Amino acid sequence: MDRISALRNVEDALASFEEGDLSLSELEREVRGVLRTYATAFEGDLRAYRAEGETGSADGVVVVASSRPEARERVAALVDDPGRFEVEPVEGN
């Protein structure tokens, strides 16, 4: 998916929301799906990973990476205090 297609898909989702055809949670899901598709489509073997941890600020952070180790590195680089965390692939890319 190229940038223009992604923007059009987001615009379509916003229009559906404004017309009352989508709830806010449906809009969020739709836009999140568009963004994940865009982010993972342009570089091959990338996929979304979500950090899961009980301490630190990494919990819930989603990154795009080609492997779990790379995803861990990206999460740790994005937050000030990552704490202990694992990364899991996000289903529904």
Side-chain angles (χ1 to χ4, degrees):
M1 172 182 299
D2 65 13
R3 183 182 298 190
I4 299 300
S5 294
L7 291 171
R8 284 187 182 134
N9 288 340
V10 169
E11 188 175 76
D12 290 346
L14 288 170
S16 292
F17 173 73
E18 291 168 353
E19 293 169 5
D21 296 333
L22 289 177
S23 68
L24 179 58
S25 61
E26 291 170 322
L27 172 64
E28 290 171 335
R29 209 171 15 258
E30 182 74 22
V31 170
R32 187 172 34 248
V34 169
L35 294 176
R36 287 194 179 138
T37 300
Y38 171 77
T40 57
F42 71 154
E43 280 204 35
D45 285 342
L46 297 179
R47 70 182 306 170
Y49 290 87
R50 180 186 317 278
E52 298 174 354
E54 294 181 19
T55 63
S57 55
D59 188 54
V61 173
V62 177
V63 297
V64 176
S66 60
S67 66
R68 284 179 195 249
E70 182 182 346
R72 284 188 55 76
E73 289 175 17
R74 288 187 180 200
V75 169
L78 288 173
V79 297
D80 291 331
D81 178 24
R84 298 180 71 186
F85 68 93
E86 297 297 322
V87 292
E88 295 295 328
V90 174
E91 299 301 320
N93 270 354

